[in-house]
Amino acid sequence: MATTQQTIQAPARTLSAPAFDVKRIREDFPILKQKVHDKPLVYLDNAATSQKPQKVVDAIVRFYTEDCANIHRGVHLLSERATYVYENTRRKVQKFLNASDQREIVYVRGATEAINLVAQTYGRRNIQAGDEVLITAMEHHSNIVPWQMLCEEKGARLQVGPVNDRGELILEEFEKLLNDRTRIVAVAHVSNALGTINPVRQIVEMAHARGVPVLVDGAQAAPHMKVDVQELGCDFYTFSGHKIFGPTGIGVLFGKFELLEAMPPFQGGGDMIAYVSFEKTIYNAVPYKFEAGTPDIAGVYGLEAALKYVNHVGIANIASYEHALLSYATEALQQIPGVRIIGTAREKTGVISFVLEGIHAHDVGTILDHEGIAVRTGHHCAQPVMDRFGVPATVRASLAFYNTKQEINSLAAGIQRVKAVLG
Ligand SMILES: Cc1ncc(COP(=O)(O)O)c(C=O)c1O
């Protein structure tokens, strides 16, 4: 019987351990330990770029100090090691997004490049005069301008699905804009300016019912929630390494294999070819066809470490911790007279955009900076959605899983200080 008691006690200890130890997690991010303007850094600009765990920094250093070589063409050991990490990381990204085939993963510089790639290859080939591209009113400029450029070149038209006062896409209106001239739908999974999570599965169903492919800009989603491209059913999905705790300069485009196969290359050069003569070039297979030139190999090392870190913490843990922190922050800010939150969608990630009555966003940001608090102010590369809400700029506090309730308290105190100084 004594043995039985022991076996019962052991899991009880495991269960009582904290599920999410933010204090412990913060230890992994050396940058968070510093002071700015003599105050502890409160980093709330995660939607612009997130901080990197030491493991990511170490992985990049490892490439340059141990494995530095070009990939694919080398027969020597260093090149083999670098090629292994580069290709093995592709498999890890495939698993991270639950893509069905590793050839569906294309390395790019970031979400911006991925969207330009699709616009300039798939778009150029399939969109003609009189056709339409459908986006939403809450897109980042990266998911507006490449389509605008394409439409201008082709004589096509950009259609925009409207949002309601909460900052949610009005689905019925969006659906009405889908018609037999629509050639592609391009939507943010999560809005960087409002935090709204779009109902991507529904959008994909609506579009596919009319035979229209869907690109999803996941720059603000992949770091904060589980992404399963097969479940979403989307045709293209993209995210940036630097927003998911990895390095700048590396990102991912997922594309359905048949679509990638049918698309022309994006850029010409080394590695994207199988054979070159002056008469004719035969392109390399997917995904290499889209990876011209020496890629950001060090970036891939960093990306691998970042995804490993996120998997270790657990994306479900990240999502639920951030959700609780968002509720706490929303309540704290709503209690401050003069604060108006822009973007109150029912489905939201940890982005709080707000304006402070009578005080310009940039002034709020400057005073918060002197309190050690890093937020972003301005239009957040989403000017049309600012226009929709009738504001030129907002202050944006954006959360990551290493942020704490104490930091939210500092933000609230900082806003009170802004009011005391400028109000
Ligand atoms: C929703 C969204 N899409 C696209 C981008 C562009 O990402 P990147 O600058 O990494 O290419 C951003 C960056 O803020 C974003 O928030």
Side-chain angles (χ1 to χ4, degrees):
M1 290 310 278
T3 338
T4 316
Q5 253 177 0
Q6 270 174 352
T7 39
I8 290 167
Q9 272 166 9
R13 272 204 303 277
T14 316
L15 282 176
S16 65
F20 193 89
D21 186 350
V22 69
K23 208 164 157 235
R24 165 70 203 80
I25 280 170
R26 288 176 71 84
E27 292 295 311
D28 296 334
F29 292 81
I31 205 167
L32 298 177
K33 295 190 181 107
Q34 71 182 284
K35 289 193 167 178
V36 294
H37 305 301
D38 277 337
K39 307 269 169 60
L41 169 66
V42 174
Y43 188 78
L44 295 172
D45 195 16
N46 295 287
T49 200
S50 58
Q51 299 303 346
K52 322 305 171 200
Q54 184 63 44
K55 293 248 193 263
V56 168
V57 181
D58 291 346
I60 296 165
V61 171
R62 182 162 58 89
F63 171 69
Y64 284 119
T65 53
E66 294 175 25
D67 293 358
C68 185
N70 214 327
I71 52 163
H72 292 153
R73 295 171 291 271
V75 288
H76 58 86
L77 186 64
L78 266 57
S79 177
E80 276 174 20
R81 284 210 299 257
T83 304
Y84 174 78
V85 172
Y86 188 82
E87 291 305 331
N88 197 41
T89 302
R90 200 189 298 278
R91 283 187 280 279
K92 290 183 176 174
V93 174
Q94 175 204 345
K95 206 162 162 227
F96 187 76
L97 292 178
N98 193 32
S100 60
D101 190 318
Q102 71 192 54
R103 293 172 299 176
E104 297 183 319
I105 305 301
V106 180
Y107 291 123
V108 287
R109 279 197 299 132
T112 302
E113 189 175 66
I115 298 166
N116 277 280
L117 187 159
V118 176
Q120 290 301 316
T121 59
Y122 181 88
R124 258 199 177 151
R125 178 154 288 182
N126 293 290
I127 292 164
Q128 310 303 336
D131 289 344
E132 293 180 1
V133 173
L134 177 56
I135 62 171
T136 80
M138 69 179 92
E139 299 307 317
H140 187 278
H141 295 166
S142 295
N143 203 25
I144 302 173
V145 184
W147 302 114
Q148 243 168 5
M149 288 162 67
L150 179 70
C151 287
E152 203 173 313
E153 180 188 320
K154 295 287 191 169
R157 197 162 152 204
L158 192 66
Q159 293 282 25
V160 183
V163 301
N164 65 20
D165 290 343
R166 288 172 174 270
E168 296 164 328
L169 182 64
I170 307 171
L171 267 184
E172 314 81 69
E173 298 296 321
F174 185 82
E175 190 167 25
K176 281 186 208 153
L177 292 169
L178 276 166
N179 60 57
D180 57 10
R181 290 181 302 277
T182 314
R183 291 290 167 267
I184 192 163
V185 165
V187 294
H189 197 168
V190 170
S191 153
N192 68 306
L194 307 172
T196 308
I197 303 173
N198 276 318
V200 168
R201 237 173 86 94
Q202 257 174 292
I203 290 171
V204 169
E205 275 168 21
M206 283 175 182
H208 283 184
R210 291 159 182 85
V212 179
V214 179
L215 174 142
V216 181
D217 169 3
Q220 298 294 344
H224 305 289
M225 57 203 274
K226 174 73 192 141
V227 174
D228 181 331
V229 290
Q230 293 190 71
E231 197 190 306
L232 293 175
C234 57
D235 301 274
F236 300 102
Y237 195 97
T238 177
F239 69 88
S240 298
H242 70 98
K243 294 191 200 281
I244 192 164
F245 318 104
T248 55
I250 187 74
V252 165
L253 169 68
F254 154 83
K256 280 188 181 157
F257 184 74
E258 322 76 68
L259 291 174
L260 293 178
E261 272 269 285
M263 280 154 56
F266 179 40
Q267 294 177 327
D271 241 25
M272 53 75 73
I273 52 87
Y275 173 79
V276 178
S277 73
F278 286 122
E279 288 69 42
K280 186 176 167 57
T281 290
I282 298 169
Y283 302 131
N284 207 342
V286 167
Y288 310 109
K289 182 168 77 173
F290 299 106
E291 294 178 2
T294 301
D296 185 357
I297 310 165
V300 172
Y301 272 62
L303 180 65
E304 181 196 30
L307 296 185
K308 192 171 174 187
Y309 188 86
V310 167
N311 286 334
H312 171 72
V313 177
I315 196 78
N317 291 333
I318 291 174
S320 70
Y321 177 81
E322 288 181 3
H323 189 74
L325 200 59
L326 172 68
S327 302
Y328 183 81
T330 305
E331 208 169 304
L333 264 58
Q334 270 168 345
Q335 278 168 19
I336 303 173
V339 167
R340 176 161 72 100
I341 295 179
I342 309 286
T344 50
R346 281 156 287 195
E347 296 292 328
K348 259 189 89 167
T349 60
V351 170
I352 307 177
S353 264
F354 64 93
V355 289
L356 192 52
E357 201 181 344
I359 304 175
H360 196 279
H362 291 294
D363 297 333
V364 178
T366 305
I367 293 182
L368 288 179
D369 175 53
H370 281 92
E371 299 297 309
I373 302 164
V375 292
R376 185 139 297 234
T377 63
H379 54 60
H380 317 295
C381 296
Q383 272 180 322
V385 83
M386 296 289 117
D387 292 346
R388 161 66 182 81
F389 285 92
V391 291
T394 70
V395 183
R396 182 186 69 186
S398 52
L399 311 177
F401 60 88
Y402 42 65
N403 290 126
T404 64
K405 283 186 178 175
Q406 292 92 300
E407 289 184 316
I408 301 303
N409 296 343
S410 300
L411 173 66
I415 297 170
Q416 296 286 16
R417 169 125 187 86
V418 174
K419 286 179 62 173
V421 175
L422 297 175

